Amino acid sequence: MHTELPAAAQARTQALIARAHSSAPVRCAVVHPCDKESLQGAMDAAAAGFIQPVLVANRTKLQAVADAANLNISALEVVAAEHSHAAAEIAAQMAASGQVHMLMKGSLHTDELLGAIVKNPQLRTARRMSHVFRFEVPLYPKPLLITDAAINICPDLAEKADIVQNAIDFARILGTDCPKVALLAAVETVNPKMPATLDAAALCKMADRGQITGGLLDGPLAFDNAISPEAVRIKGIVSKVAGDADIVLAPDLESGNMLAKQLEYLGGAEGAGILLGARVPVVLTSRADGAKARAMSALLCALVAQHQQSQRQPA
């Protein structure tokens, strides 16, 4: 489904692009881009000035894909890898050694890429890795971040705390000083028989005690209470988050994934997604995603990588 986004949403995207252009393109290992969409997405991101791509793939297979898609890769740097598994390991090592500052998933399985990252101790942090979608939704007045809809299947409380913190940090990098986080459940009251409501309540108290920082949390909140001021008014909910969420935390991967795909395929939302919590950010898209979604995900990833590089530089 394609719905034209409001002018304000398009302006926000242009502002992010301008921010990315204020720094040099980020050197990025593109892992096994051996189908048309992943190769085109990487090349579009490079043409847009977001990344300086290093293609890590089997040279013969990569060239065959480029020829079939009528794409000229002669000017791009290529690092040879026998197969997708090897490409993931080589790219992870390049990131660990500082040769690249972000990774971009090509046409390999997510598990292959994540396995190579997790196996490399230099890429791990104290934080749980998690995925964040950023959506521009035609009927919502600002960007909406959804987490986690791709990596953590059934996160426990400690893992949810990391997932929330990753999303808050990401939102702050994108320009929201104190993002409002709605902790989703089916209801807005705590019910001992519904674990998601207990986790939501505990996360709020963790934020009160400084265990989660930089954002404003509230939950449990049903999705309508998270994004609809009218639903909040009718239900009499008093909250600075309800009806105005910047981030929604799904209780598990299944609900988050369904929510994200409903927004995209039925709601006309345009989304991009990245993986956070590793030493470098990762463009992590579905193999069904088109080149535009891949390029937009690369933009978000580049902004995170540029921020990380600026934090490492001496004042």
Side-chain angles (χ1 to χ4, degrees):
M1 177 177 179
H2 178 76
T3 301
E4 189 71 20
L5 290 175
Q10 297 179 42
R12 285 191 293 267
T13 298
Q14 290 305 313
L16 291 179
I17 291 171
R19 275 187 55 193
H21 287 165
S22 67
S23 299
V26 178
R27 191 166 162 82
C28 171
V30 186
V31 188
H32 193 69
C34 291
D35 66 2
K36 178 183 176 181
E37 296 294 352
S38 58
L39 183 56
Q40 183 73 65
M43 295 186 71
D44 287 351
F50 307 149
I51 65 170
Q52 179 189 343
V54 181
L55 309 181
V56 186
N58 180 288
R59 289 181 184 273
T60 302
K61 190 169 186 178
L62 179 65
Q63 190 61 57
V65 170
D67 291 344
N70 198 27
L71 297 172
N72 183 1
I73 62 171
S74 60
L76 300 182
E77 182 179 349
V78 178
V79 173
E82 187 178 354
H83 42 63
S84 60
H85 227 71
E89 293 183 359
I90 291 168
Q93 187 52 45
M94 291 174 69
S97 62
Q99 297 176 61
V100 297
H101 300 291
M102 58 182 269
L103 300 172
M104 185 172 187
K105 179 190 167 205
S107 57
L108 75 172
H109 285 281
T110 296
D111 286 351
E112 287 183 87
L113 181 55
L114 290 185
I117 293 170
V118 170
K119 234 169 40 173
N120 195 313
Q122 291 172 285
L123 291 182
R124 293 202 301 268
T125 69
R127 197 83 61 77
R128 179 86 176 181
M129 287 193 294
S130 61
H131 184 272
V132 182
F133 274 117
R134 178 190 183 274
F135 280 105
E136 287 284 3
V137 186
L139 295 179
Y140 200 59
K142 58 182 178 178
L144 185 65
L145 305 186
I146 297 176
T147 191
D148 180 332
I151 298 298
N152 293 284
I153 296 172
C154 190
D156 61 22
L157 179 61
E159 290 164 350
K160 286 181 179 179
D162 278 353
I163 292 168
V164 168
Q165 192 66 68
N166 284 341
I168 289 172
D169 293 348
F170 179 48
R172 288 168 60 88
I173 289 171
L174 295 184
T176 304
D177 290 336
C178 185
K180 298 176 180 179
V181 186
L183 309 168
L184 296 186
V187 295
E188 66 276 6
T189 52
V190 175
N191 184 334
K193 294 181 179 179
M194 301 177 72
T197 69
L198 298 175
D199 284 351
L203 289 166
C204 290
K205 185 51 65 178
M206 291 173 76
D208 289 344
R209 296 290 186 265
Q211 293 172 271
I212 300 170
T213 61
L216 189 62
L217 278 62
D218 197 6
L221 289 170
F223 185 66
D224 57 341
N225 306 327
I227 54 90
S228 169
E230 180 66 7
V232 172
R233 185 191 64 78
I234 292 170
K235 292 189 176 182
I237 299 170
V238 179
S239 167
K240 293 181 180 178
V241 173
D244 193 36
D246 298 294
I247 300 167
V248 294
L249 171 76
D252 54 38
L253 183 145
E254 289 175 323
S255 57
N257 191 275
M258 292 174 196
L259 173 58
K261 289 182 177 174
Q262 284 166 357
L263 287 177
E264 181 180 0
Y265 287 95
L266 293 177
E270 290 189 4
I274 73 171
L275 178 75
L276 300 165
R279 192 66 61 188
V280 299
V282 183
V283 178
L284 194 65
T285 50
S286 166
R287 283 176 292 160
D289 283 334
K292 182 177 180 180
R294 294 171 189 269
M296 281 302 301
S297 298
L299 165 62
L300 300 180
C301 216
L303 290 170
V304 173
Q306 289 169 349
H307 173 79
Q308 290 178 339
Q309 289 176 276
S310 72
Q311 296 297 105
R312 296 188 190 111
Q313 292 171 356

